Amino acid sequence: MVKRAWLEISLSQIAENLRKIRQYTGGKRVMACVKADCYGLGMKAIAPCLEKEADCFGVATVAEALELKKTGITKPILVLGPVLKEELEPAVNAGIRLTLFSLPLLRSLSRVALRLQKTALVHLKIDTGMGRIGLRPSQLSSFFPQLFETSGVKAEGIFTHLATAEAADKTYAREQLRQFELVLTHPLASLFPLKHVANSGALLNLPESWKSFDLVRIGLLLYGVYPDKRLKDKLKLQCALRGFTRVAFIKEVPPGSSLSYGASYTTKKKTRIATLSIGYADGLRRNLSNRFAVVIKGRQAPIIGTICMDQTLVDISGIKAKEGDKVCFLQPGKVEEMAEILQTAAQEILCGLASHRLEKIYL
């Protein structure tokens, strides 16, 4: 069957990007963050191609960790997000690392581990200003002794997460880093084998967040997509994905023709229009209407009118296109451009491409 809309994802390029990241850090350990189904790109296909290159994996939930193990991953897996009490037993039983962020969780983990006669491996999360899960630095003088005296629980790592890692103004990120470094002056902090801070943004924007620590947590950069276009020159990576659709129908309309929902675009001259077989249900965000362009026959074709759930109109005046032609709606650099237009994060753009209707082709 002819494909109507699809992504082409280069597994070899993703692996190569990880190798370049390791080289850039001088050989630091790399945690490949494959949460949210690799931002909607397909964890089952992508994670196995990373196992040789990555030192460990990061996910958001226990369910994701268990699914990841089913793909044959043998490297350590850390759940970076919160866990429910009901998830503790399957996680500990499977040897999955968990993020520790409270005293009640520590006690629950100890009970589960002792009952299973296993060791619960944890990474302690420090909240230095993100405001989500984690212990505040002021709580640690009393928490550290309890952690290292609790049976059945082994502290493998300690980390924090930066709220403004990719921002041009580094003031807040540096204050978070200062707080974390202060935490590490506690005598018991030396007992944590792994200390980590940097995500993709910090890797490029804040070298001090990884140079004196043990690993970096990388998600977005694996795909050659940057958290901020300012950072592209720091490390040259190749975008591992491209998106395509097809011309479904072509027509010519006179001047003064209003197009699509809300009549959001009116032609000023006779216009040749192509209807594309893609819409916001496939991840082409509705707010890109009248603000973005696709590529047909090597030429820019601007989106005109409101993007619909299943179809999109583009102006192909002067382009020798025909029905059935392949259209590129996502080229290298376009994820970042979409994010900038929509004033959102590149990660959100990728997650929006998760629709099962947008077929994923792995190269």
Side-chain angles (χ1 to χ4, degrees):
M1 182 178 293
V2 176
K3 299 174 182 64
R4 56 170 290 279
W6 69 99
L7 281 183
E8 293 181 357
I9 301 166
S10 172
L11 298 178
S12 61
Q13 190 57 64
I14 293 171
E16 176 62 19
N17 285 340
L18 195 154
R19 283 191 287 271
K20 287 183 177 179
I21 290 165
R22 187 189 298 280
Q23 185 178 27
Y24 178 79
T25 64
K28 291 282 183 186
R29 297 188 189 195
V30 178
M31 176 184 291
C33 291
V34 295
K35 61 182 182 174
D37 196 30
C38 285
Y39 302 155
L41 301 179
M43 181 180 70
K44 289 181 181 179
I46 293 172
C49 86
L50 290 172
E51 179 156 37
K52 182 180 177 182
E53 305 298 336
D55 295 281
C56 53
F57 289 84
V59 295
T61 68
V62 171
E64 287 180 349
L66 294 172
E67 191 65 29
L68 184 57
K69 287 187 75 70
K70 289 180 184 177
T71 69
I73 294 299
T74 59
K75 297 281 181 68
I77 301 168
L78 172 64
V79 175
L80 294 160
V83 293
L84 302 174
K85 285 185 178 181
E86 295 78 7
E87 296 176 312
L88 297 181
E89 184 168 325
V92 173
N93 207 34
I96 293 166
R97 278 75 172 162
L98 297 175
T99 292
L100 177 62
F101 52 88
S102 72
L103 186 57
L105 178 58
L106 173 63
R107 291 168 175 164
S108 295
L109 268 173
S110 177
R111 288 193 294 269
V112 169
L114 293 173
R115 185 173 71 249
L116 295 175
Q117 296 184 317
K118 289 181 177 285
T119 299
L121 297 170
V122 299
H123 286 230
L124 182 63
K125 177 69 177 290
I126 311 302
D127 178 13
T128 57
M130 187 70 176
R132 301 187 304 189
I133 60 172
L135 289 157
R136 298 294 295 179
S138 59
Q139 298 174 278
L140 294 173
S141 59
S142 61
F143 188 86
F144 274 163
Q146 294 181 80
L147 170 58
F148 291 107
E149 292 168 3
T150 298
S151 300
V153 178
K154 181 179 179 180
E156 185 179 67
I158 182 170
F159 72 108
T160 194
H161 189 59
L162 302 178
T164 60
E166 68 275 7
D169 184 348
K170 303 178 185 181
T171 306
Y172 193 79
R174 283 176 170 150
E175 173 57 22
Q176 282 193 260
L177 187 57
R178 187 195 68 79
Q179 289 188 45
F180 187 66
E181 289 171 335
L182 190 60
V183 165
L184 297 184
T185 63
H186 191 285
L188 292 178
S190 62
L191 299 178
F192 292 96
L194 299 174
K195 304 169 183 67
H196 47 108
V197 178
N199 59 0
S200 289
L203 177 81
L204 301 180
N205 197 42
L206 203 69
E208 58 265 43
S209 69
W210 54 266
K211 285 191 172 180
S212 60
F213 299 107
D214 302 295
L215 66 80
V216 293
R217 307 186 301 267
I218 304 300
L220 191 63
L221 287 178
L222 294 174
Y223 313 110
V225 177
Y226 293 82
D228 191 297
K229 66 181 184 180
R230 294 181 305 102
L231 304 175
K232 285 187 175 184
D233 293 335
K234 300 286 187 179
L235 174 62
K236 296 293 187 181
L237 301 172
Q238 295 298 315
C239 185
L241 57 145
R242 286 164 176 78
F244 300 94
T245 185
R246 295 192 184 276
V247 174
F249 181 60
I250 294 174
K251 63 180 175 292
E252 202 169 77
V253 300
S257 298
S258 294
L259 304 175
S260 195
Y261 289 117
S264 67
Y265 185 91
T266 301
T267 58
K268 294 181 175 61
K269 56 182 175 56
K270 185 169 67 174
T271 305
R272 193 163 180 250
I273 297 172
T275 300
L276 308 183
S277 295
I278 190 171
Y280 61 77
D282 306 289
L284 188 61
R285 299 277 291 276
R286 196 170 188 266
N287 283 349
L288 292 171
S289 302
N290 302 304
R291 305 166 73 189
F292 193 68
V294 301
V295 175
I296 304 176
K297 300 289 187 180
R299 294 183 59 184
Q300 296 279 317
I303 292 172
I304 51 176
T306 301
I307 294 169
C308 306
M309 184 182 289
D310 317 298
Q311 300 169 56
T312 297
L313 302 178
V314 296
D315 184 348
I316 58 167
S317 300
I319 301 175
K320 293 181 179 179
K322 63 183 184 301
E323 293 176 9
D325 278 350
K326 188 164 75 169
V327 178
C328 186
F329 74 90
L330 193 67
Q331 292 182 300
K334 292 301 181 179
V335 173
E336 294 92 334
E337 182 180 328
M338 288 179 176
E340 186 174 36
I341 291 170
L342 299 174
Q343 296 187 319
T344 188
Q347 292 91 331
E348 185 180 2
I349 301 298
L350 291 184
C351 287
L353 301 173
S355 170
H356 70 278
R357 298 198 330 180
L358 191 66
E359 188 176 351
K360 313 303 188 289
I361 309 299
Y362 300 99
L363 306 175

